[in-house]
Amino acid sequence: MEENKTIRFNIKARDDRFFRAAESVLKKYKITRRPALEEGFVVFDVTGGTSDYVVRIHPEWRENPRCTCPDAENRAKENARGYCKHIIAVLLKNTEFRCQLLEAFL
Amino acid sequence: MNERNEIRPVGASGSTYDQLFPVIRATLEAGISVLLLGPPGVGKSSMAAELARSMKKKLIDIRLAQKDPAELGGVYFPDRETRTLELFPPSWVKRACGEPCLVFLDEFNAAVTKLHQAAAYQIVLEKRIGDFEFHPGTVVLAAGNREEDNAIVTPLSSALCNRFAHFEMRPDTDAWLEWAAANGIDENIMAFVRTYGDEVLFTVSDEHSFPTPRSWAMASRVLAHVDPEDAKRALAACIGVPMADKFHKYMTLYRKVDAAGIIGGRTKADFVRNSEPSFIYAAIFAVAACLARSAVPDAHLENIVSFITSPGVEPEYQILFLRQLRNRAQELFDRLKALSSFRKLAGDLVSLRSSLYLS
């Protein structure tokens, strides 16, 4: 039987859009980590855009990351399991939590 | 203008389900009716159902070729008091008028008559039947087959064609596998389709049976009921003899994988010696299927990470395995997050993916 030799890393158009948006957040916005845990979450302030937002990350990945932006509750919730561009940018910037991005593109 | 114009959608080869979904949704939300063409069994009806769900509209599913024109446009009865003709609309029209609906006109270009087209014209262009105007939130999606797929196709008038935004859908292995994992499709079929890709998922043939996303779903249902000794014949009835033969040869390979032994830590898959993609795919789907149907003790979780990080398993296989796990065993997937080895795997995959954007 002839083997299928074509191997590729599967990238969805959806991932592409979100990663590009996150890239713009990294370049233009300021991401500040608050010094202490708040109710067990590491909290980041994302400022410099039209509005300021707060991203919460569970340090041991017991819950998926959350953001206060409307996109996380609406479009991103449906298209990317709630991973808005602010969450993606925060996770990309902080390598210790980067693993939590996995579900964004599974 | 040619009155019996043939339908020629933009993009000769078509787009995948994932690519089309957001564009078609946006087009419908803009109030424009959509004509979606594609080969039989490619997932057009599934897309209509999914669009209705995501747009929070009731689905009205009408198979045009199976309807009498009166079932589309209603019938006129004389009102003796007013001495006029009054339209009695079909029941679906009342629903389309009363609440936001997605009117799905399937088999739109399959042997429809001029009377069908006249009714369709009103539905598509005016969003009404007679005096019955559809609810402002009601949208219209039509679907049909292409002539090159050996389907019976009736050319539509250019006036009707011009009222649609046209899209063409092609089969897509990745999208189908995602759907398949969420819809209980037989794991052997998923492994086979993943291994050989689009060429086995969809092949146009002059035979009565040939593989399409729909006929593979039929084959999956048959496999769940038929005795093993009759499986090959039953499969051939759904997907054709040549594809059933190919599938059975693949199954010989698939059965060599000791999934329970791998999960229990009693055996390891050697992907360095057995580096053929067909074997790796077979192992991934066999282990994922076993995990989806069995209770896995905490002590065995590390074995799962060891399996998928074995030498010779490249990132695209790891992603495939994790997708299967996430779709078919979400609870187990969440338990794996507690392992530092799993978090390292996830971090490595994310870094590899995101390196494109962090230059």
Side-chain angles (χ1 to χ4, degrees), chain B residues 26-187:
Chain B
T27 308
L28 291 172
E29 280 171 345
I32 296 163
S33 299
V34 167
L35 177 58
L36 176 61
L37 294 181
V42 75
K44 300 185 291 292
S45 304
S46 300
M47 180 181 276
E50 183 61 18
L51 281 165
R53 190 199 61 76
S54 83
M55 295 171 78
K56 296 183 174 56
K57 296 180 192 294
K58 287 273 168 60
L59 177 68
I60 298 174
D61 191 341
I62 300 169
R63 306 286 156 107
L64 214 63
Q66 297 168 18
K67 294 281 182 194
D68 185 271
E71 291 179 274
L72 271 184
V75 288
Y76 282 91
F77 279 91
D79 183 329
R80 295 188 189 284
E81 280 186 19
T82 59
R83 299 177 71 82
T84 56
L85 288 172
E86 295 292 328
L87 177 67
F88 277 54
S91 59
W92 71 265
V93 171
K94 290 209 162 177
R95 271 188 289 147
C97 295
E99 59 185 323
C101 292
L102 189 152
V103 180
F104 179 50
L105 301 171
D106 202 2
E107 302 171 3
F108 191 73
N109 55 351
V112 294
T113 64
K114 281 195 179 300
L115 285 172
H116 282 98
Q117 289 202 28
Y121 192 90
Q122 268 205 319
I123 295 168
V124 172
L125 174 63
E126 300 173 15
K127 302 234 176 83
R128 63 191 287 164
I129 290 289
D131 292 335
F132 293 86
E133 277 186 38
F134 293 171
H135 187 282
T138 291
V139 296
V140 180
L141 170 66
N145 297 132
R146 305 168 309 175
E147 208 168 345
E148 56 263 43
D149 298 318
N150 299 337
I152 301 167
V153 171
T154 305
L156 304 177
S157 76
S158 54
L160 185 53
C161 280
N162 197 234
R163 262 74 186 184
F164 281 113
H166 296 250
F167 296 94
E168 186 169 319
M169 193 197 284
R170 65 175 166 83
D172 175 55
T173 302
D174 292 330
W176 186 79
L177 283 171
E178 201 164 315
W179 173 88
N183 286 275
I185 297 297
D186 183 280
E187 65 261 18

Side-chain angles (χ1 to χ4, degrees), chain A residues 1-4 7-12 15-16 19-20 23 26 60-61 64 78 81 92 98-99 101-103 105-106, chain B residues 25 54 174 178 195-196 246 249-250 277-278 315-317 319 323 326 333 337 343 346-347 350-354 357-358:
Chain A
M1 204 161 17
E2 195 183 328
E3 299 295 350
N4 182 356
I7 295 174
R8 61 202 170 89
F9 196 86
N10 185 358
I11 297 171
K12 293 182 174 181
D15 305 334
D16 203 48
F19 274 100
R20 285 193 190 285
E23 186 189 25
L26 282 171
E60 287 152 19
W61 203 2
N64 279 345
E78 191 167 314
R81 301 188 182 88
L92 285 177
R98 195 176 278 180
C99 60
L101 254 180
L102 180 67
E103 282 200 76
F105 63 93
L106 275 187
Chain B
R25 184 183 155 146
S54 83
D174 292 330
E178 201 164 315
T195 303
Y196 296 104
K246 190 168 181 170
K249 282 179 191 158
Y250 179 77
S278 55
E316 72 273 9
Y317 296 117
I319 288 283
R323 275 198 182 128
R326 204 277 321 283
F333 184 86
K337 292 174 183 173
R343 291 203 290 267
V350 170
S351 293
L352 183 66
R353 172 72 184 86
S354 56
Y357 298 91
L358 297 175

Side-chain angles (χ1 to χ4, degrees), chain B residues 2-44:
Chain B
N2 180 4
E3 190 59 26
R4 291 173 66 80
N5 203 15
E6 282 199 1
I7 303 166
R8 289 285 170 230
V10 176
S13 59
S15 306
T16 66
Y17 187 107
D18 280 352
Q19 290 166 337
L20 286 178
F21 189 89
V23 188
I24 291 181
R25 184 183 155 146
T27 308
L28 291 172
E29 280 171 345
I32 296 163
S33 299
V34 167
L35 177 58
L36 176 61
L37 294 181
V42 75
K44 300 185 291 292

